[in-house]
Amino acid sequence: MRDRWRAPFHLSVLMCAGLLSCKSDSTSAPSPTYPEKDHAAEAARLLGTPDWYRHAVFYEIDVRSFSDSNGDGIGDLQGVRSKLPYLKDLGVDALWLMPIMPSPFKDSGYDVADYDAIAKEYGTLADFDALLSDAHAQGIRVFMDLVLNHTSDQHAWFQDSKTSKTNPHADYYVWSDTAGRSDVGCGTYGPQFGSSAWTLAPERNQYYFHRFYPGQPDLNYKSPDVVAATLAAAKFWMDRNVDGFRCDVIALLVETATGCDMVPDTVAYIKKLRALLDGYPNRAMVAESTNFTTTAAYYGSGSDMFSMAFDFGFGYLWGGVMKSTSAADVAKPFVNAQQYPKGAQEALVIGSHDVARAYTTANHVQSRWRRAALLTLTMPGTPFIYYGDELGLRPGTQVIVDGRDTARTPMLWDASPNHGFSTVAPWIAYGAEADTINVDVEKNDPTSDYVFYKQLLALRRGREAFGTGTLKVVAADDPSILYFERASGDETYVVVMSMDESDTHTGTIPGVSLPGDAQRLFGDATLTRNGVDASVTINAASYGIFRVR
Ligand SMILES: [Ca+2]
Ligand SMILES: [Ca+2]
């Protein structure tokens, strides 16, 4: 399912992006060539303001699976550091590192045993400082994963808390004499975490509450000591100069009798965390949302809670949406987000450590994951690329903790026996097709996913319209044609996409009054002005990005 026939059109991007002159298409009216700004200078300008995160492309890294620097089969911080040139070259502006704090790794590090240190498998605080310093020197920012809802049962706080009802950390966790409490109106978060959210600690002869695995006791945010201690942990990393946090299941901090999702005490805590970040220049934070239909609750007034929240309405459900032929269904989550508080910035994904690889979600249909990726890179919102999705990384089959492990296999750098990831067997087996789906092969294949991503990142870079521009979605007379405009300052872009994977479509977009003729920058669709209307022709499952002003 590799779209080799499309290669010439992808290559035209680099030409039309200003590197070479852009010849008009022989099959349509002469194409204009709009004057290009200095995109490198524009990118530097846009990424240098407090709004930098609205223009950045993020990249999520499972440190354990990215690059192993010392030959123990486990990825580490020096490994990530060694790959900064790759990330810079790809066009990445910021990293989100999955948890790197000490942990028994019963849940990929989302079970923190010490908030103020680095897991020994990953390196030292000095290694972290070196990574951060090198990343900053290359203009790449770094977010850490902040896991505040729970700790590991190996954390010193829990080790103390479980011993008695009177120790200094006795109320750091949510305890009960029975396996339930009337003021805790929720159970485990999902079926993989078990049937009961309460586990007996024999030493204390009480049950503790855990929304996830039994090794992940929930912290008690009704305790002022817990609030102070976790804010101090955030400050520890802020003071080390990290650029912000991805906050794990932040909605679930406080439990009440009637609900456990973004209750008022949780909102109050998030505002404290934001106030802490606002004490440092140009920081930001992104929420892992637990709501698939709206993320409005995460933004508060637009400036007092999260800078960004993951939109899983598209991010987790796109496999079904992209399978339909309805452009309106595809546009819906992006259109809905326009109603959020001013300042709200959606974080857009097609993959993460919590879901299947994009390859799987798309039912192996390459044009489907590519179109989904293209939407995350052109719709309003900040794209977060999950490591390896720029290769179309295939899933693994080995499961160590749970099924999510199939999307946490090592990054594939080349076709050598350990794929440039390590010199020994990896901690978890490589994914499928590793000899052909890897960086080395795809860099040299103009039809590869890697080249697709790299060209789109180059196209987006330094074009303000894709970061903070307005969105206008217009219904075509053909329901399978998606049409939207992004506009900012003196530039307007049009993105068109076909949701039909079988046939070529030609449709009319009524009343759009395009300000100028279309210069195609990407894809193979055509866009023509017809008075106040426009007409679009798109091959099956294809797309086009145009400049019209
Ligand atoms: Ca290692
Ligand atoms: Ca909780």
Side-chain angles (χ1 to χ4, degrees):
M1 298 299 284
R2 313 203 65 179
D3 299 348
R4 293 187 181 278
W5 57 270
R6 206 172 284 154
F9 303 107
H10 284 157
L11 290 174
S12 72
V13 159
L14 291 179
M15 296 168 60
C16 296
L19 299 179
L20 295 164
S21 67
C22 190
K23 291 270 191 331
S24 63
D25 190 287
S26 60
T27 61
S28 59
S31 171
T33 301
Y34 293 98
E36 295 286 359
K37 291 177 178 160
D38 178 340
H39 293 302
E42 277 293 283
R45 179 180 70 82
L46 297 167
L47 294 167
T49 73
D51 266 354
W52 65 270
Y53 62 87
R54 302 178 191 277
H55 300 279
V57 172
F58 278 71
Y59 188 94
E60 180 190 356
I61 292 180
D62 184 350
V63 174
R64 201 173 198 78
S65 281
F66 201 60
S67 179
D68 170 22
S69 72
N70 63 347
D72 63 358
I74 297 173
D76 46 56
L77 295 175
Q78 288 293 356
V80 174
R81 188 180 174 205
S82 73
K83 297 301 183 185
L84 288 171
Y86 167 81
L87 297 162
K88 179 79 180 170
D89 182 62
L90 178 61
V92 166
D93 304 302
L95 309 180
W96 151 25
L97 304 179
M98 280 172 62
I100 55 175
M101 298 162 187
S103 167
F105 287 96
K106 297 284 173 56
D107 185 18
S108 288
Y110 289 98
D111 45 337
V112 174
D114 181 353
Y115 283 110
D116 299 341
I118 295 290
K120 63 180 185 311
E121 302 95 317
Y122 292 172
T124 62
L125 278 169
D127 292 332
F128 179 76
D129 291 342
L131 167 60
L132 198 56
S133 173
D134 278 12
H136 287 167
Q138 299 193 41
I140 296 176
R141 290 177 163 96
V142 179
F143 272 24
M144 290 182 74
D145 218 315
L146 197 56
V147 187
L148 296 175
N149 177 64
H150 47 264
T151 67
S152 164
D153 60 0
Q154 301 304 305
H155 195 294
W157 297 341
F158 188 77
Q159 290 292 307
D160 195 25
S161 190
K162 74 175 184 180
T163 58
S164 71
K165 297 174 189 174
T166 54
N167 66 73
H169 299 98
D171 71 343
Y172 265 50
Y173 296 86
V174 182
W175 292 99
S176 172
D177 290 335
T178 58
R181 225 168 80 174
S182 60
D183 62 341
V184 178
C186 45
T188 55
Y189 192 67
Q192 71 264 39
F193 300 110
S195 56
S196 175
W198 297 88
T199 292
L200 182 69
E203 303 100 309
R204 181 163 164 158
N205 196 28
Q206 276 193 312
Y207 295 82
Y208 64 90
F209 175 70
H210 54 89
R211 290 211 74 181
F212 298 93
Y213 289 117
Q216 296 169 300
D218 273 49
L219 284 162
N220 172 27
Y221 278 86
K222 289 176 181 163
S223 157
D225 291 342
V226 168
V227 170
T230 54
L231 288 173
K235 185 173 188 303
F236 176 83
W237 297 104
M238 281 285 107
D239 287 341
R240 290 199 99 85
N241 217 15
V242 301
D243 298 284
F245 300 113
R246 176 267 185 187
C247 294
D248 186 62
V249 293
I250 193 77
L252 309 183
L253 294 190
V254 182
E255 294 76 35
T256 72
T258 54
C260 304
D261 205 311
M262 290 299 267
V263 302
D265 283 349
T266 297
V267 169
Y269 179 90
I270 293 169
K271 288 181 178 176
K272 287 192 175 112
L273 182 61
R274 174 62 183 259
L276 170 70
L277 261 69
D278 283 347
Y280 300 77
N282 293 355
R283 302 305 208 274
M285 59 181 191
V286 58
E288 180 192 19
S289 171
T290 49
N291 188 323
F292 285 6
T293 54
T294 174
T295 58
Y298 292 90
Y299 300 112
S301 69
S303 61
D304 59 348
M305 291 176 65
F306 278 94
S307 332
M308 299 178 275
F310 283 105
D311 183 343
F312 294 134
F314 182 79
Y316 281 0
L317 306 177
W318 65 266
V321 173
M322 297 296 292
K323 200 164 61 180
S324 86
T325 56
S326 165
D329 285 353
V330 174
K332 198 171 174 182
F334 305 106
V335 172
N336 284 350
Q338 300 303 300
Q339 310 306 315
Y340 295 166
K342 185 170 162 29
Q345 177 83 358
E346 297 281 86
L348 304 176
V349 295
I350 63 166
S352 81
H353 63 283
D354 274 332
V355 294
R357 277 284 170 190
Y359 169 83
T360 306
T361 305
N363 200 25
H364 310 178
V365 180
Q366 186 179 48
S367 64
R368 208 174 285 170
W369 78 68
R370 283 191 178 186
R371 280 176 295 142
L374 191 151
L375 289 175
T376 66
L377 291 163
T378 54
M379 278 287 193
T382 297
F384 279 67
I385 299 168
Y386 184 47
Y387 82 97
D389 272 355
E390 77 274 27
L391 305 176
L393 205 69
R394 308 313 197 226
T397 54
Q398 188 178 358
V399 170
I400 294 174
V401 174
D402 59 48
R404 295 174 296 173
D405 286 340
T406 61
R408 299 173 180 180
T409 59
M411 182 70 171
L412 299 170
W413 300 98
D414 59 41
S416 67
N418 279 296
H419 298 291
F421 167 72
S422 181
T423 52
V424 300
W427 71 275
I428 191 169
Y430 298 110
E433 300 178 57
D435 286 344
T436 50
I437 307 297
N438 62 57
V439 171
D440 197 37
V441 169
E442 294 198 26
K443 265 192 166 175
N444 296 307
D445 176 358
T447 70
S448 68
D449 281 335
Y450 171 84
V451 172
F452 172 87
Y453 267 91
K454 187 170 177 182
Q455 291 180 341
L456 269 176
L457 264 53
L459 170 62
R460 194 181 195 282
R461 186 165 206 77
R463 292 183 196 265
E464 190 169 7
F466 291 111
T468 48
T470 56
L471 171 70
K472 182 167 121 183
V473 180
V474 184
D477 64 353
D478 179 330
S480 71
I481 295 176
L482 175 64
Y483 173 102
F484 62 93
E485 298 174 10
R486 302 296 313 278
S488 175
D490 54 2
E491 297 185 5
T492 299
Y493 297 88
V494 171
V495 179
V496 301
M497 183 175 290
S498 174
M499 303 316 303
D500 186 332
E501 296 176 350
S502 303
D503 298 308
T504 297
H505 282 248
T506 295
T508 296
I509 321 296
V512 289
S513 298
L514 292 179
D517 288 329
Q519 175 192 0
R520 186 170 62 207
L521 302 178
F522 197 74
D524 62 351
T526 60
L527 172 67
T528 311
R529 281 205 295 176
N530 294 325
V532 298
D533 301 337
S535 65
V536 174
T537 299
I538 321 183
N539 286 322
S542 196
Y543 42 76
I545 302 175
F546 306 87
R547 187 166 168 190
V548 294
R549 183 172 63 117

